Amino acid sequence: PMEADLVFDVRFMPNPYYIQELREKTGLDREVSDYVFSFQQTHDYMAKLRDLLAFTLPLYAEEGKTELVIAVGCTGGHHRSVAVTHALAGDIRDLGYRTVPPAGAEAVLRPGGGLRHPALLQHLQRHRGADHHGKSQFRRPAAQAVPSGLQPVL
């Protein structure tokens, strides 16, 4: 998507769609998530993403970026990308950031899947006050305007 700052493609992971009992489920279902995370490559990839985000998110803030949109995509946008996005959102929150589904995310999620239609777009916002140049960084919206925690959009 054009609005994405970072795009991650997880089509290299084994696809639960081809497991009959998982086909109609999503990455939010424990069975699908367990399948996706049963492979070492998924754990290795997630570790690399955590390292990348731990390094880059503070640097984006230093540059004055107030929100960051991350897209995670796969073929259908129901299994792998959803499971990875859900786990990645937890990792991002552990770094002290809030994850928020953007307004209008449903419009991005059209049938047909593919990397062009990510499972979820996240806005990352962090209240950091003003930097030494007076620019505000990662402003946190009013509490009532931001849902607590990740609310995946399918």
Side-chain angles (χ1 to χ4, degrees), residues 62-100:
E62 284 177 25
E63 287 298 314
K65 192 150 183 65
T66 59
E67 64 182 30
L68 186 73
V69 179
I70 297 175
V72 177
C74 64
T75 306
H78 297 288
H79 300 99
R80 297 167 291 182
S81 60
V82 174
V84 167
T85 298
H86 190 70
L88 188 59
D91 294 337
I92 290 167
R93 286 192 301 271
D94 288 347
L95 292 171
Y97 295 86
R98 183 176 283 206
T99 59
V100 180

Side-chain angles (χ1 to χ4, degrees), residues 6-101:
L6 301 172
V7 178
F8 299 107
D9 179 357
V10 296
R11 290 177 291 180
F12 66 90
M13 294 176 183
N15 194 345
Y17 176 83
Y18 296 109
I19 309 296
Q20 186 62 39
E21 54 272 10
L22 301 179
R23 181 172 291 178
E24 299 303 316
K25 297 180 182 288
T26 75
L28 293 179
D29 291 305
R30 183 165 202 85
E31 302 92 339
V32 172
S33 182
D34 287 349
Y35 176 83
V36 170
F37 283 90
S38 70
F39 299 93
Q40 187 60 45
Q41 64 195 36
T42 304
H43 292 279
D44 294 346
Y45 187 71
M46 293 300 293
K48 291 177 186 306
L49 286 182
R50 281 190 292 274
D51 288 346
L52 174 68
L53 293 173
F55 176 75
T56 57
L57 292 180
L59 297 175
Y60 282 121
E62 284 177 25
E63 287 298 314
K65 192 150 183 65
T66 59
E67 64 182 30
L68 186 73
V69 179
I70 297 175
V72 177
C74 64
T75 306
H78 297 288
H79 300 99
R80 297 167 291 182
S81 60
V82 174
V84 167
T85 298
H86 190 70
L88 188 59
D91 294 337
I92 290 167
R93 286 192 301 271
D94 288 347
L95 292 171
Y97 295 86
R98 183 176 283 206
T99 59
V100 180

